[in-house]
Amino acid sequence: MKKDSSQPVNALSRLKRLQAVFAEKKSLLIVMQDFPDPDAIASAAALREIALRSGIQSSLASGGIVSRAENRALVRYLDLNIINLNKLDLARYDLIAMVDTQPATGNNSLAAGYLPHIVIDHHPIHRATRRAQFHDIRRRYGATSTMLFEYMKAAGIKPSTPLATALTYGIRSDTSDLGRETTAADISAFFELYVMANKRKLSRIEVERLPRPYFSLLARGLANARLFGHCVITDLGEIDNPDMIGEVADLLLRNEESDWALCFGIFETRMLLSIRTSDLQQDAGKVIARIVGRRGSGGGHNTMAGGQISVDGENAAAVNALKRDVIKRYLKILKQDGSSEEKLVKGEK
Ligand SMILES: [Mn+2]
């Protein structure tokens, strides 16, 4: 077992090490983030195919929900049944794998006592991951989908049209159409997959129709948006669509006056946060980790990151104090004076 998963190893020897973990096993549980994105969904579906070649039946699980309309459309197209991780008897499975996330990162709900046997991800490596029997962490890769496609190729598995479409979408969405944090490997995987993908389905998924509450939440996000110099912040309040946090942060970053966007909201018992930046001087993942501190968890990439803080049992005053503190820390880290506040959308309350 290689200690440093970032060391270059060829695809075939990686596959062989993965298949060695599969040997003599019958069942696999593939764990995704609590709010799986297209990269996680496609990666899990691809790992299921690879495991199937070794005679292993897989279940896909998440501790949260798929809420974004585009992602729900992708899950329907792949005909996936994503089960609730919190209601599962983990002892039923011979093996546990994680894709696009890692143990003890806070963005998945695998109970602390469980160490996955397999971890395949492109986020910075977490200490617990090193103890997994098999781990392949490639921080520079734009998408976990690229890594899974490399395994499929090494195994001689041609993805089905829906899976090729999903992997294409996974790479596209994690790299902003190959424009952000992309390696040559992502680009070549993308083009190979694109040929096999259903382009019409892909474009339909991307413009999936949206439920009416989406627009209410978007309106609230815009009405609450505040500009502090080059930083924009909004509070979505109580939400039932956790993916909206990242979506609104993406939108706010497109404001031409800001290079940092922060969006947060309360989903069930936690405060969820998303940061987006176009500033390459500071790493979004590190900024969110500093904002959250020991109260929660956070991480991500150079230009996009997410975090969560538990507000379980907290009253409204405590939640408001937490929000104020998050804003204060964010502005302090980015050296932005908090007194320059103005509304992003003038005339809104
Ligand atoms: Mn990803």
Side-chain angles (χ1 to χ4, degrees):
M1 173 68 45
K2 273 198 120 51
K3 275 274 178 326
D4 180 1
S5 358
S6 67
Q7 287 287 311
V9 189
N10 78 48
L12 198 59
S13 73
R14 277 194 181 113
L15 176 71
K16 286 194 171 139
R17 286 199 291 121
L18 179 62
Q19 286 169 335
V21 180
F22 287 155
E24 325 243 323
K25 299 292 195 291
K26 296 238 169 329
S27 59
L28 169 68
L29 178 68
I30 304 172
V31 176
M32 291 176 272
Q33 302 134 19
D34 287 347
F35 313 115
D37 63 16
D39 188 32
I41 294 164
S43 298
L47 183 59
R48 185 176 68 167
E49 291 305 308
I50 296 163
L52 193 60
R53 284 293 171 105
S54 295
I56 293 175
Q57 295 291 333
S58 304
S59 300
L60 274 55
S62 161
I65 54 169
V66 178
S67 59
R68 191 170 177 149
E70 297 89 325
N71 301 354
R72 294 174 77 95
L74 181 67
V75 168
R76 277 198 305 276
Y77 178 48
L78 290 169
D79 198 20
L80 296 179
N81 176 26
I82 300 177
I83 50 184
N84 185 340
L85 182 60
N86 304 311
K87 291 185 179 154
L88 272 183
D89 176 10
L90 298 176
R92 275 178 45 208
Y93 296 91
D94 296 334
L95 294 170
I96 300 174
M98 265 188 188
V99 289
D100 205 37
T101 179
Q102 295 178 44
T105 51
N107 74 343
N108 68 70
S109 293
L110 186 69
Y114 285 88
L115 181 68
H117 304 83
I118 297 162
V119 185
I120 303 175
D121 188 24
H122 68 130
H123 295 90
I125 192 160
H126 265 247
R127 194 183 302 160
T129 300
R130 296 189 193 277
R131 293 194 285 120
Q133 194 180 344
F134 178 90
H135 54 87
D136 180 3
I137 308 300
R138 292 182 236 171
R139 197 188 163 167
R140 293 189 56 249
Y141 271 47
T144 305
S145 295
T146 301
M147 300 171 66
L148 267 300
F149 179 56
E150 289 181 3
Y151 282 101
M152 291 189 84
K153 275 177 66 177
I157 306 170
K158 185 180 190 289
S160 65
T161 304
L163 183 53
T165 308
L167 289 164
T168 305
Y169 190 33
I171 297 172
R172 264 173 90 155
S173 64
D174 258 32
T175 63
S176 284
D177 281 325
L178 305 176
R180 169 179 76 190
E181 300 178 41
T182 310
T183 61
D186 297 302
I187 295 168
S188 93
F190 176 84
F191 285 110
E192 282 181 64
L193 286 161
Y194 191 71
V195 174
M196 296 183 261
N198 181 338
K199 272 70 85 177
R200 205 168 137 184
K201 189 73 198 177
L202 191 61
S203 77
R204 280 211 198 130
I205 289 172
E206 286 177 311
V207 290
E208 177 66 15
R209 303 189 72 168
L210 302 163
R212 197 164 159 188
Y214 173 94
F215 297 95
S216 309
L217 205 49
L218 183 61
R220 198 195 301 164
L222 292 174
N224 288 345
R226 299 286 184 273
L227 258 177
F228 296 84
H230 68 122
C231 303
V232 60
I233 301 173
T234 199
D235 176 3
L236 288 183
E238 298 248 358
I239 55 169
D240 55 10
N241 176 350
D243 287 338
M244 199 65 179
I245 300 278
E247 213 171 327
V248 169
D250 278 332
L251 178 65
L252 291 182
L253 187 64
R254 294 187 59 188
N255 163 37
E256 61 187 4
E257 290 162 77
S258 19
D259 56 6
W260 283 89
L262 166 67
C263 177
F264 55 79
I266 307 294
F267 177 71
E268 295 175 346
T269 57
R270 40 185 156 161
M271 178 184 194
L272 301 175
L273 307 95
S274 258
I275 284 188
R276 299 290 185 269
T277 183
S278 53
D279 170 11
L280 298 174
Q281 305 303 310
Q282 275 197 93
D283 183 293
K286 287 182 184 148
V287 170
I288 208 145
R290 282 176 65 193
I291 291 173
V292 169
R294 277 178 302 205
R295 295 174 296 188
S297 60
H301 309 277
N302 297 340
T303 60
M304 56 194 294
Q308 50 264 309
I309 299 171
S310 171
V311 292
D312 204 6
E314 305 272 15
N315 62 23
V319 171
N320 284 333
L322 174 64
K323 287 176 176 179
R324 283 194 301 273
D325 188 57
V326 160
I327 293 171
K328 208 171 112 189
R329 281 175 180 240
Y330 169 70
L331 295 175
K332 192 174 171 210
I333 293 164
L334 297 173
K335 298 190 170 55
Q336 176 59 50
D337 176 9
S339 65
S340 64
E341 175 175 349
E342 55 177 318
K343 290 170 193 162
L344 177 66
V345 183
K346 298 266 164 64
E348 299 295 324
K349 66 173 174 62

